[in-house]
Amino acid sequence: MTITSLTPPDLPPVVRDAVDGLAALKTVRSIRIAGSRARGRPTSPASDWDVLVYVEDPPAPEELHRLLPADAGPQEAVELVTANLGHPFQESEYTIPVSPRIDVCFRPLAHVRREETLAAQGAFTVYSYPKIASGVPSYILLSEAALSAPVHGDVGSPARPTELALSAGPWWRGRASCALLLAIDHVTAGEKLGALEHVLAAATSLAHSRLIARAQWYPITKRLLNEPGALDDRARQSLNQLSADRLSPDVVYQVAEDLGLDPEDGLDWLARGEHIRPGGPDTHPTQTGQR
């Protein structure tokens, strides 16, 4: 099932040239503008252009070098960086050195289709991701497609499956409770910095739980906690007042109350083994993706 795609933004000539060059590559099936530019709300006039390119296979670096501006020097040779080769969260990235900068991310189309099938079954997994403390769910492949605007070809804009909301919402909530349980354990042992880390992970996990429950996709970015509906005002105020120095078990329990969570629910979450395989058994490879 798909939803209506975002309306493509007006592309400045340098971005249009890059899109046309990418579209001419034989492995490219679709190109989409992502991020704040796609939503028509760039954070500033100098905001980067994020370009998603769906491919059968990543192009060769020499093919990409031909897409550089005519005045680019030899020192600006393309470096195509591929992370998680062969993994469901594989991606290849490179930057076109213009102003504003154009960041290009290549996604294997087969991985997106696989994730669509799994999401329809309520299945997903979570990969470590340095920009988001709680990690990134595998359904980011679907949310970024749905929240981007096609400028060449179209892989479709997948709707958020009800089955995914029914599995992911409780899973993230259980993970948030578990994080608070660990925060209490850490602060009781005098490890206040570790406790603070777990409290913030609880907030991020709760945000995922609340947002996936909506009937639409949500942006999975470093601004996750600022998404409308991610947190209540009371919880946000409580988190903004936190510091490691003032943490105590009572403070963590108060934060849990403000978040609407019971840390003891984290024990049940662990007992069910949900920390090992989110979204059900045997849905993804056992290794954790590292980015």
Side-chain angles (χ1 to χ4, degrees):
M1 182 178 178
T2 60
I3 57 177
T4 303
S5 297
L6 296 182
T7 301
D10 292 331
L11 303 181
V14 67
V15 179
R16 170 51 64 187
D17 288 345
V19 168
D20 290 344
L22 289 165
L25 300 176
K26 62 182 180 181
T27 64
V28 171
R29 297 296 173 262
S30 179
I31 302 174
R32 302 174 76 98
I33 303 299
S36 61
R37 295 282 189 182
R39 297 189 291 274
R41 300 190 302 272
T43 52
S44 77
S47 291
D48 300 343
W49 284 84
D50 296 316
V51 180
L52 286 171
V53 184
Y54 294 94
V55 296
E56 299 297 336
D57 295 294
E62 55 269 21
E63 293 181 284
L64 299 179
H65 196 276
R66 293 197 292 270
L67 304 180
L68 291 174
D71 58 353
Q75 72 279 8
E76 293 177 309
V78 170
E79 181 181 4
L80 181 64
V81 178
T82 297
N84 307 319
L85 185 63
H87 197 273
F89 200 49
Q90 176 181 323
E91 62 182 10
S92 303
E93 296 180 332
Y94 90 110
T95 297
I96 300 178
V98 295
S99 183
R101 191 177 70 190
I102 303 173
D103 291 327
V104 181
C105 177
F106 294 95
R107 293 275 194 222
L109 184 54
H111 292 183
V112 179
R113 296 302 184 219
R114 179 176 184 271
E115 199 60 42
E116 245 181 323
T117 299
L118 291 170
Q121 302 167 12
F124 68 102
T125 194
V126 177
Y127 302 114
S128 63
Y129 187 56
K131 292 182 181 179
I132 301 178
S134 61
V136 62
S138 56
Y139 55 77
I140 188 176
L141 298 180
L142 307 181
S143 69
E144 67 183 8
L147 299 174
S148 56
V151 291
H152 169 76
D154 196 355
V155 296
S157 298
R160 197 272 292 138
T162 300
E163 294 83 359
L164 184 64
L166 292 175
S167 65
W171 186 88
W172 283 112
R173 187 175 181 86
R175 190 185 198 207
S177 295
C178 183
L180 290 172
L181 191 68
L182 291 170
I184 294 168
D185 181 62
H186 276 65
V187 77
T188 301
E191 297 291 338
K192 292 190 174 185
L193 285 175
L196 182 60
E197 177 186 8
H198 285 296
V199 170
L200 297 178
T204 307
S205 294
L206 180 63
H208 279 295
S209 176
R210 293 175 61 126
L211 294 172
I212 194 62
R214 304 186 305 184
Q216 59 196 34
W217 290 113
Y218 59 99
I220 302 173
T221 70
K222 57 181 174 290
R223 299 181 180 87
L224 179 71
L225 293 179
N226 291 324
E227 283 297 309
L231 295 174
D232 291 335
D233 290 341
R234 179 182 175 186
R236 194 179 304 278
Q237 182 178 7
S238 178
L239 291 168
N240 283 334
Q241 294 173 348
L242 280 183
S243 67
D245 288 342
R246 64 179 294 264
L247 276 184
S248 67
D250 286 344
V251 169
V252 177
Y253 276 114
Q254 182 60 56
V255 171
E257 182 179 331
D258 294 340
L259 291 172
L261 295 168
D262 183 351
E264 298 304 315
D265 289 343
L267 286 174
D268 294 334
W269 186 82
L270 286 170
R272 292 193 300 269
E274 299 210 32
H275 59 296
I276 300 173
R277 284 195 179 277
D282 301 326
T283 56
H284 286 81
T286 55
Q287 71 266 31
T288 299
Q290 301 291 334
R291 300 183 65 247

